[in-house]
Amino acid sequence: MSEFYKDEWVWITGASSGIGKELVSQAYKQKAKVLLASRKTKTLEALAKELQLEKGRYAVEKLDLEDYKSTAVFAKRCLQKYGIPKVVIHNGGISQRSLTKETNLITLEKIMNTNFYGAAEMTRTMLPEIVGKKEVHFAVISSVAGKLGSPLRSAYSASKFALVGFFHCLRSEEERNGIFVTMVYPGFIQTNISKNALTGDGSTTGTMDSVIAAGLPVQLCAHRILHAVANKQREVVISGIKEKFGLFLQAVYPSLFFKMIQKAKVR
């Protein structure tokens, strides 16, 4: 892995906190040049200072994934300024904690725009500029919720399922032309994702889920993502035993899985 990232640009969306922040730190330690992207540019600059990133080896760019049409402008601007990256990590996103019947359309649209349309439009815009010119690796952070549905996450799961379908199709079309895709399925990871999750009316929960607090360390998650990319894995599940058992049950004993997921503790 040490030479894979050396002197190559790695673009990371949602870089201001959580998995994104840790990806910045670890990719930089692998001698990559890192492009930090999120809405919070002041936070990104503070992060660059905290991590002691050297000038010329990092860049900060504003990116609002919810305004998904603007991601095309972002993609074109960054390609012109920094050239074609080695790796693009679609990490930015927002979660949900609300029953489907209590989730309004505005909240549904915000989650879909941020989690799916932003990544899809950014990628779609890049393709004509990169296909056939350089091998580019897209690492797409879906979720275990992008493989199975659970209570309180209907919009979130929908957005993560959508990412899987979009990037699976892209892989089938363009892998022969040097566009590689790694789908990443994190389970419960120790971040603030549940605190920032949206309720049905669009407000944030502000609370930490117990299953998130007891999840895998974010450092381990970031390490496994970068390792999977460097080793050209097409898929990686990063989770504890409970999530992996759920995936197994869904595949082998779907009726039993459905009964269990109805009773599962998801907060």
Side-chain angles (χ1 to χ4, degrees):
M1 187 164 68
S2 59
E3 295 299 316
F4 181 84
Y5 296 101
K6 186 176 181 181
D7 296 326
E8 297 282 0
W9 276 106
V10 177
W11 297 5
I12 303 170
T13 71
S16 60
S17 63
I19 295 173
K21 177 180 177 180
E22 187 61 29
L23 284 167
V24 170
S25 175
Q26 293 194 26
Y28 185 78
K29 289 176 181 177
Q30 293 292 331
K31 303 187 185 305
K33 295 184 286 187
V34 287
L35 187 152
L36 291 65
S38 85
R39 292 177 300 170
K40 305 173 182 178
T41 53
K42 289 185 179 179
T43 301
L44 295 179
E45 291 290 2
L47 173 59
K49 185 175 181 179
E50 174 190 336
L51 297 178
Q52 299 182 323
L53 306 186
E54 298 178 3
K55 289 184 178 180
R57 300 199 61 81
Y58 84 94
V60 166
E61 293 286 344
K62 186 172 184 178
L63 174 64
D64 184 355
L65 290 169
E66 184 183 358
D67 181 15
Y68 63 90
K69 292 182 180 178
S70 72
T71 65
V73 178
F74 167 88
K76 291 177 181 178
R77 180 178 74 247
C78 292
L79 284 170
Q80 185 174 19
K81 290 176 68 174
Y82 310 110
I84 299 175
K86 176 79 167 183
V87 179
V88 177
I89 304 180
H90 287 303
N91 168 73
I94 190 166
S95 193
Q96 171 201 13
R97 298 294 184 274
S98 60
L99 294 171
T100 305
K101 65 184 179 182
E102 297 172 354
T103 303
N104 63 33
L105 179 59
I106 293 174
T107 301
L108 174 60
E109 288 180 330
K110 182 169 185 172
I111 292 171
M112 287 298 298
N113 290 349
T114 303
N115 293 3
F116 173 65
Y117 283 112
E121 177 60 6
M122 177 178 157
T123 303
R124 189 193 66 81
T125 303
M126 293 179 68
L127 290 175
E129 307 298 325
I130 64 178
V131 173
K133 298 178 182 178
K134 180 179 178 179
E135 290 190 356
V136 177
H137 199 125
F138 289 93
V140 185
I141 313 302
S142 177
S143 170
V144 169
K147 282 181 170 286
L148 52 84
S150 62
L152 308 179
R153 289 163 174 79
S154 55
Y156 179 71
S157 284
S159 68
K160 296 300 187 177
F161 270 87
L163 283 174
V164 175
F166 182 90
F167 281 95
H168 276 198
C169 290
L170 175 62
R171 175 195 288 147
S172 69
E173 295 167 352
E174 302 293 352
E175 185 171 286
R176 64 178 65 90
N177 297 318
I179 305 300
F180 204 89
V181 174
T182 293
M183 295 304 306
V184 182
Y185 301 95
F188 301 127
I189 307 298
Q190 294 172 6
T191 70
N192 287 328
I193 189 171
S194 58
K195 288 185 178 181
N196 297 325
L198 301 184
T199 62
D201 63 7
S203 60
T204 56
T205 68
T207 59
M208 174 67 77
D209 291 353
S210 60
V211 289
I212 297 294
L216 296 180
V218 69
Q219 294 85 357
L220 174 62
C221 181
H223 173 78
R224 291 191 62 187
I225 291 169
L226 294 175
H227 183 270
V229 171
N231 286 278
K232 289 198 170 184
Q233 293 178 232
R234 293 186 176 88
E235 179 172 300
V236 58
V237 175
I238 306 172
S239 73
I241 295 174
K242 289 182 179 179
E243 301 98 299
K244 289 180 179 177
F245 183 61
L247 292 172
F248 169 78
L249 276 185
Q250 184 195 45
V252 181
Y253 303 107
S255 296
L256 178 59
F257 166 78
F258 180 70
K259 291 178 182 179
M260 292 186 64
I261 199 67
Q262 287 182 303
K263 303 176 183 179
K265 185 176 182 180
V266 292
R267 299 196 66 174

